[in-house]
């Protein structure tokens, strides 16, 4: 094993943010991608609903901005939201050009089929049936693995940033006067610890859902990037805003399997165990209110009635459409003994998304020179107190492109 790895650029993480960074940086120099498990293992790989973007004549940038700000409960940064929304369509087309096979309105390649989710006033969710993340992850990985300028280090865990102040002994410098020259990483769970040296380092380590017992996130989501940036003195913000997804399958072995908000977008209804449709009592948008409102309503109903879960009734969608649009969800439910088209399924909220993170500017720069960040690890200002559904993949795409 090398005792030191050098490249022009170091990317930590291989979800959507890390792979877009790597692919774009590879045009400028050599890239090392350090990633904790197999290179596809990431929250990105499990994303279901899709990517929000203004892609139809019935929609406008103003409406997407308004929905995002409203969902963020007054804490979004309007300039960040506005510029992300306007850049969205170009970034979706980049993905399609890379080869992502998004669902189309008509077989053979009509316009993008657009889904609906909570908090959106228009249909604007570009998706690949109910496995958008897997499709995006696989296409980007294939491209990155065949790029001669990109080298993957799978099963390597970044543990700390490599700081100028630590090398020179000048500890305690404020981050803005220090410099990041890479990161230390270990493999095999114990080491040795190897320095990865680079001219610029990019955090793309995702979120921190695994802080919670019940979460939709995979095991890699342990907030490592936030911790490393914090230890290096970079500013961190809004960690109190953890988003809970309203509908995960309630089953002892389902590990909080997500039932996409897109299922409610197509007409599924929430009911208590005695069949009462409760959401209209909480919000005029009912099942399609922003997800913080829906998750709190479910929690309130469970506490009021002493129930362990509520029910999601997908029968209004119809079996044929359900199986065509949500094949993965239907198959997973079937594995646990539920026929989603025939009877309501048990669901509960679970921790889903870290709205805060490492503070970045509009170009993905952190406070620490030499350190950039993109994706769920960041606080870019676009999500405020509560992220609008399917704005996460969009944010990662936009900021990874800009940071590169
Ligand atoms: P991730 O995709 O999580 O990638 C993080 C990477 O960093 C991984 O490769 C990981 O191994 C690596 N890593 C972590 N720590 C270290 C370390 N110490 N050293 C080295 N590598 C490390 N958002 C949407 O917009 N639309 C959706 O439909 C949607 N559906 C979702 C469904 C589920 C089940 C989940 C969990 C999330 C969903 N989200 C969705 C949220 C979205 O998927 C994530 O926010 C987004 O994928 C994050 O991308 P990322 O690249 O920032 O991080
Ligand atoms: C979902 O498909 O419900 C998840 C969408 C998201 O997290 O934005």
């Amino acid at each position: 094993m090398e005792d030191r790895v050098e490249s022009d650029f170091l990317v930590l993480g291989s979800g959507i943010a890390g792979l877009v960074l790597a692919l774009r940086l590879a045009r400028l120099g050599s890239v090392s991608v350090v990633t904790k498990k197999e290179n596809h293992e990431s929250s990105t790989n499990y994303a279901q609903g899709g990517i929000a973007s203004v892609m139809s004549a019935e929609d406008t940038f103003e409406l997407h901005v308004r929905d995002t700000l409203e969902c963020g409960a007054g804490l979004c940064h309007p300039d960040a939201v506005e510029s992300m929304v306007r850049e969205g369509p170009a970034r979706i087309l980049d993905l399609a050009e890379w080869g992502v096979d998004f669902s189309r309105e008509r077989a053979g390649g009509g316009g993008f089929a657009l889904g609906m989710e909570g908090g959106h006033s228009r249909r604007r969710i570009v998706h690949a049936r109910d496995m958008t993340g897997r499709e995006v992850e696989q296409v980007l990985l294939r491209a990155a693995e065949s790029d001669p300028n990109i080298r993957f280090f799978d099963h390597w865990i970044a543990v700390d940033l490599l700081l100028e102040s630590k090398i020179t002994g000048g500890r305690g410098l404020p981050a803005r006067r220090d410099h990041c020259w890479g990161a230390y990483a270990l493999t095999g769970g114990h080491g040795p610890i190897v320095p990865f040296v680079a001219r610029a380092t990019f955090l793309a380590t995702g979120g921190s859902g695994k802080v919670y017992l019940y979460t939709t996130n995979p095991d890699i989501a342990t907030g490592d990037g936030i911790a490393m940036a914090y230890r290096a003195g970079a500013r961190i913000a809004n960690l109190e805003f953890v988003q809970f997804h309203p509908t995960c399958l309630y089953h002892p072995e389902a590990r909080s399997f997500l039932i996409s908000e897109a299922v409610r977008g197509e007409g599924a209804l929430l009911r208590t165990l005695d069949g009462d449709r409760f959401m209209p009592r909480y919000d005029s948008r009912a099942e399609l209110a922003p997800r913080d409102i829906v998750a709190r309503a479910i929690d309130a109903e469970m506490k009021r009635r002493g129930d362990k879960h509520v029910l999601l009734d997908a029968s209004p969608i119809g079996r044929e459409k359900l199986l065509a649009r949500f094949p993965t969800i239907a198959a997973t439910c079937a594995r646990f003994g539920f026929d989603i088209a025939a009877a309501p399924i048990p669901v509960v909220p679970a921790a889903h998304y870290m709205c805060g993170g490492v503070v970045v500017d509009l170009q993905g720069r952190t406070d620490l020179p030499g350190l950039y960040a993109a994706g769920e690890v960041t606080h870019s200002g676009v999500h405020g107190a509560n992220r609008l559904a399917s704005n996460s993949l969009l944010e990662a795409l936009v900021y990874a492109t800009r940071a590169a």
Side-chain angles (χ1 to χ4, degrees):
M1 186 191 302
E2 300 146 87
D3 57 8
R4 165 192 171 107
V5 177
E6 280 189 41
S7 51
D8 292 315
F9 308 112
L10 172 64
V11 175
L12 305 179
S14 56
I16 186 170
L19 293 175
V20 170
L21 279 162
L23 284 165
R24 298 208 182 271
L25 290 166
R27 295 178 193 162
L28 309 171
S30 56
V31 186
S32 300
V33 178
V34 169
T35 191
K36 211 172 180 174
K37 287 195 165 189
E38 299 77 29
N39 57 14
H40 64 264
E41 188 57 3
S42 57
S43 288
T44 302
N45 200 43
Y46 299 92
Q48 293 182 357
I51 313 177
S53 191
V54 175
M55 304 299 287
S56 87
E58 284 89 65
D59 200 2
T60 65
F61 291 137
E62 289 71 26
L63 286 173
H64 190 180
V65 169
R66 191 196 68 187
D67 294 346
T68 303
L69 295 177
E70 205 174 302
C71 213
L75 290 184
C76 302
H77 299 180
D79 55 341
V81 174
E82 168 106 25
S83 65
M84 175 188 75
V85 162
R86 286 185 179 276
E87 229 169 288
R91 298 290 79 84
I92 298 282
L93 296 179
D94 289 345
L95 283 183
E97 220 163 90
W98 265 317
V100 174
D101 186 17
F102 289 119
S103 299
R104 301 283 174 159
E105 267 175 343
R106 289 176 304 282
F112 295 115
L114 298 175
M116 183 70 178
E117 292 180 355
H120 289 276
S121 56
R122 293 288 185 278
R123 282 193 169 264
R124 63 168 74 98
I125 317 299
V126 180
H127 57 273
R129 293 196 283 173
D130 61 350
M131 47 202 137
T132 309
R134 201 189 319 160
E135 171 66 13
V136 168
E137 182 75 22
Q138 279 178 5
V139 167
L140 295 180
L141 259 182
R142 271 201 302 274
E145 281 171 340
S146 61
D147 191 313
N149 265 358
I150 300 176
R151 187 172 167 203
F152 278 94
F153 293 84
D154 295 7
H155 297 279
W156 279 81
I157 300 179
V159 289
D160 227 345
L161 296 173
L162 208 167
L163 300 179
E164 175 131 357
S165 59
K166 283 194 188 159
I167 303 164
T168 59
R171 285 170 193 278
L173 274 184
R176 64 181 183 284
R177 288 183 28 221
D178 206 341
H179 197 102
C180 179
W181 292 111
Y184 298 99
L186 62 82
T187 189
H190 38 75
I193 288 179
V194 173
F196 284 71
V197 184
R199 281 162 41 208
T201 302
F202 298 79
L203 281 178
T205 45
S208 51
K210 278 287 159 178
V211 169
Y212 292 83
L213 181 58
Y214 298 109
T215 175
T216 61
N217 291 191
D219 288 347
I220 53 88
T222 48
D224 304 9
I226 297 174
M228 286 187 273
Y230 177 75
R231 285 197 294 274
R235 249 178 328 148
I236 310 294
N238 284 17
L239 295 194
E240 64 275 38
F241 297 122
V242 176
Q243 177 171 81
F244 283 68
H245 196 288
T247 53
C248 297
L249 190 61
Y250 178 76
H251 186 282
E253 279 150 40
R255 296 198 78 200
S256 302
F257 175 74
L258 188 84
I259 308 294
S260 175
E261 200 151 310
V263 178
R264 275 175 282 131
E266 296 305 329
L269 304 173
L270 285 162
R271 302 186 187 281
T272 56
L273 301 198
D274 61 3
D276 173 33
R277 186 183 167 211
F278 56 89
M279 271 318 298
R281 287 203 299 280
Y282 288 88
D283 193 283
S284 59
R285 292 160 290 186
E287 281 80 2
L288 289 179
R291 63 174 63 143
D292 58 331
I293 295 172
V294 181
R296 276 198 300 272
I298 293 175
D299 184 60
E301 287 297 314
M302 284 164 51
K303 285 182 175 141
R304 184 177 69 78
R305 296 172 42 87
D307 292 338
K308 288 199 160 62
H309 60 83
V310 295
L311 296 170
L312 183 69
D313 176 5
S315 61
I317 302 174
R319 180 177 295 276
E320 198 185 333
K321 183 167 178 192
L322 253 174
L323 298 185
R325 172 75 172 84
F326 304 111
T328 317
I329 293 173
T332 306
C333 287
R335 258 207 337 272
F336 293 108
F338 302 111
D339 178 350
I340 190 171
I345 57 169
V347 291
V348 284
H352 183 60
Y353 185 81
M354 168 49 78
C355 298
V358 183
V359 174
V360 289
D361 66 11
L362 291 176
Q363 305 304 325
R365 281 181 291 234
T366 73
D367 294 340
L368 180 61
L371 182 68
Y372 304 77
E376 191 170 338
V377 70
T378 65
H379 171 270
S380 67
V382 302
H383 304 311
N386 175 56
R387 170 173 69 82
L388 180 66
S390 289
N391 264 357
S392 168
L393 295 173
L394 175 65
E395 179 204 35
L397 263 174
V398 166
Y399 276 81
T401 303
R402 290 189 198 158

